Each structure stands twice: as C-alpha cells, then as structure tokens.
C-alpha cells in the first residue's frame, strides 16, 4: 500500500490516488493540524484532554521534522502547496501508514511526545483503534464548534447546515461534507426558500473543513440557489469555479470573494479561511 501511495503521489494530481480509507485500517486517537508551521493537537479522546493545543515533538524516536518529511512522499489528494499541509495530518494518525514508513515499529501502538507553551514535554502512548471507535471516541476539540447566530435554521446533517441573522439579513452555511445528490437538492431548495422569505442579502459559505470530492454536487447546490458565479477560496479550499455555458468550471487557484445572484438581486458571498462568526 505504501509504495502505491508513493507512486500515486508522484503523479501530482489530487484525484489520482490509492485511498487507504477504502480498506480496513486503524487510527491513533488524535488529530493534528498545522498552525504557524507547527503540528498542534486539536482533537483527541476525553482521557487525553490535557494535551490539546500542544505541539508535536516526536513520534517514537523520530523527530517531528523527519516524520513530516516521510509523510510528504505519500500524502494523498494533494493538488498544490496549500493542500499538502491540510491533508498531511490525516495521515499522521493512521497506524498502517506510520508503520509502513518506518516511523513506528509496531502499528498496534505509538508514542507521541508533546510540548506545552512552557516548553515542558510529555510522552503519551496510544493504542490504534478502529475507524468506528475513532469517530465515536475522538470527540474533544481544542476549539469547540461554534454555530454563528446561535441557532441552525436549515439542516441537512452535522456537516451541512445554515444559520442566520434575519435582522442584518446575513446567513451562514457550514459546508464540511458533500451529502448525496438528492440530499443536496433538498437542502439547497430549503436554503433558497429561506433566503427569499427572509430577504437575506449576504451569505457566508464556510468550506474550511471540506476536503473536496463530489464537486458536481457542490455545483448543484450553487445552481439551485440561482448561482451565476461562485469562487471557492482559502488555503483549505484550492479551486475556483466559474460556470460558463457549455464549459467545465475553470480551476484558477485562490480568490477572495464571490457573488451569488438570486433573480435580479445580487447576493454577495464571502468565502474566506478567517471567517468563523460575524
């Protein structure tokens, strides 16, 4: 598997890959993310809550820098310089990958050394667990999810919903995962009706947690709320789409703003990595 991942990585196309998630695999119960160039622990199980926010120093006897260097050769779904640091942490907790790269000797467990803001280091040894156990057990976040405007007004799932401030005519869509095509159609229709009914003029579409895939589903969402132009932005979202008659969307890299048009009224859309609340 590791050699196939390495070969697919050389292609340089994020959609040419040998996905490890298609086979049975195990995770260590933690999730890191790059922050200012350092890998920080952002999610774990309740029993390891005290480690949240600490930076990774070593995995076993291997330094953080060497671990990253080895992982960079096999990270999947990499399109450019922005997607590499985004996707690398999702490989760092996969037991088979760390063992296959020689980062750990035994995939059944691994020791992670973490450092707090005072420079004090502590090692924690974690056993690998199944994917279902990982999803159920890794529930503690460094920063808990916030629902802008407090209440969800239109909901498809925990990964796709809309909230709004009706007085300021601002709405927010959290779009972390693509649902089914039919689910997208139903959600988009409910969103469009809500925007029209409450005369919403500003919409924020948050794609920071969306790792891609199912692109045509996103196009369907945009089309159903009468979108003529939408740009996807930020270092976590790597493409811009500009639908044109008879043409596929053009991928143009990073952009800053976008506009959705509903009937004769233009609805500005902001899609930005720094947006969390208004």
């Amino acid at each position: 598997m590791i050699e196939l991942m390495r070969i697919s990585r050389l292609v340089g196309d994020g959609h040419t890959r040998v996905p490890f998630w298609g086979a049975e695999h195990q995770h260590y119960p933690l999730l890191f993310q790059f922050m200012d160039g350092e890998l920080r622990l952002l999610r774990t199980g309740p029993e390891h809550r005290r480690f949240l926010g600490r930076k990774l120093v070593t995995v076993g006897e291997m330094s953080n820098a060497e671990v990253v260097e080895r992982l960079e050769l096999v990270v999947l779904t990499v399109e450019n310089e922005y997607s590499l640091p985004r996707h690398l942490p999702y490989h760092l907790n996969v037991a088979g990958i760390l063992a296959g790269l020689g980062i750990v000797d035994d995939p059944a467990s691994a020791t992670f050394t973490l450092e707090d803001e005072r420079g004090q280091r502590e090692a924690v040894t974690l056993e690998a667990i199944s994917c279902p156990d990982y999803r159920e057990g890794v529930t503690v976040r460094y920063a808990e999810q916030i629902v802008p405007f407090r209440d969800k007004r239109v909901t498809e799932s925990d990964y796709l919903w809309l909230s709004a401030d009706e007085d300021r005519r601002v709405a927010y869509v959290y779009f972390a995962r693509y649902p089914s095509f039919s689910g997208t159609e139903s959600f988009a229709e409910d969103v469009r009706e809500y925007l029209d009914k409450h005369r919403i003029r500003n919409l924020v579409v948050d794609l920071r947690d969306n790792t891609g895939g199912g692109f045509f589903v996103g196009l369907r969402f945009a089309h159903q709320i009468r979108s003529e132009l939408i740009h996807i932005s930020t270092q976590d979202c790597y493409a811009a789409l500009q639908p044109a008659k008879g043409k596929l969307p053009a991928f143009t890299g990073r952009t800053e703003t976008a506009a959705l048009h509903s009937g004769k009224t233009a609805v500005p859309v902001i899609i930005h990595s720094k947006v969390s609340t208004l």
Side-chain angles (χ1 to χ4, degrees):
M1 175 66 78
I2 289 295
E3 288 307 314
L4 291 175
M5 292 172 65
R6 197 189 308 272
I7 292 171
S8 67
R9 177 73 174 85
L10 292 173
V11 176
D13 172 10
H15 290 83
T16 301
R17 60 198 182 197
V18 181
F20 63 83
W21 52 85
E24 184 176 345
H25 61 284
Q26 293 187 312
H27 294 268
Y28 302 113
L30 37 66
L31 179 63
F32 293 93
Q33 182 174 313
F34 279 104
M35 300 180 68
D36 295 327
E38 296 177 337
L39 282 163
R40 297 275 180 171
L41 182 62
L42 295 193
R43 292 172 63 180
T44 187
E47 65 274 25
H48 299 117
R49 182 188 299 269
R50 71 181 187 280
F51 293 109
L52 289 172
R54 298 189 189 186
K55 65 181 180 181
L56 179 66
V57 179
T58 64
V59 180
E61 300 297 324
M62 191 173 294
S63 69
N64 169 40
E66 187 174 354
V67 169
V68 170
E69 185 177 348
R70 295 196 182 192
L71 283 171
E72 285 180 344
L73 300 176
V74 300
V75 175
L76 303 177
T77 65
V78 174
E79 297 281 2
N80 52 40
E81 62 181 300
Y82 303 109
S83 55
L84 177 58
R86 171 65 177 177
H87 292 298
L88 187 146
Y90 292 97
H91 297 61
L92 179 53
N93 63 11
V94 181
I97 292 178
L98 297 194
L101 292 172
I103 297 172
V104 300
D105 296 327
D106 183 357
S109 66
T111 300
F112 297 81
T113 301
L114 305 166
E115 181 178 290
D116 64 18
E117 296 305 314
R118 296 171 297 175
Q120 295 184 347
R121 298 181 177 183
E122 185 175 352
V124 56
T125 299
L126 303 172
E127 294 184 0
I129 57 178
S130 67
C131 287
D133 288 342
Y134 177 86
R135 295 191 186 98
E136 293 180 7
V138 181
T139 57
V140 180
R141 298 169 178 255
Y142 180 67
E144 295 300 325
Q145 187 181 61
I146 297 173
V147 176
F149 316 124
R150 298 184 181 180
D151 299 318
K152 298 178 182 180
R153 307 300 178 91
V154 181
T155 303
E156 164 65 22
S157 69
D158 290 339
Y159 306 102
L160 180 59
W161 44 264
L162 176 141
S163 62
D165 183 329
E166 296 173 2
D167 293 333
R168 289 191 286 173
R169 298 185 183 180
V170 178
Y172 167 96
V173 172
Y174 178 66
F175 205 142
R177 293 186 189 176
Y178 292 104
S180 64
F181 197 84
S182 61
T184 297
E185 289 185 314
S186 176
F187 177 74
E189 181 63 22
D190 291 342
V191 167
R192 187 183 62 79
E193 291 180 0
Y194 185 92
L195 297 180
D196 290 345
K197 178 180 179 180
H198 298 281
R199 302 175 65 190
I200 299 297
R201 298 185 59 85
N202 299 284
L203 178 66
V204 176
V205 181
D206 189 345
L207 297 166
R208 289 173 298 177
D209 296 328
N210 192 307
T211 57
F215 192 62
F216 70 96
V217 180
L219 284 176
R220 182 58 178 166
F221 170 78
H223 180 265
Q224 278 194 252
I225 51 178
R226 303 190 184 109
S227 172
E228 294 177 4
L229 173 65
I230 179 171
H231 288 288
I232 299 177
S233 175
T234 87
Q235 65 178 11
D236 292 345
C237 303
Y238 323 109
L241 64 99
Q242 192 169 356
K245 293 181 179 179
K247 297 181 180 180
L248 292 174
F251 292 86
T252 58
R254 300 182 67 188
T255 58
E256 292 302 326
T257 59
L260 291 177
H261 297 270
S262 177
K264 296 181 180 180
T265 304
V267 183
V269 179
I270 302 171
I271 306 176
H272 196 282
S273 62
K274 300 300 183 182
V275 172
S276 56
T277 59
L278 292 177

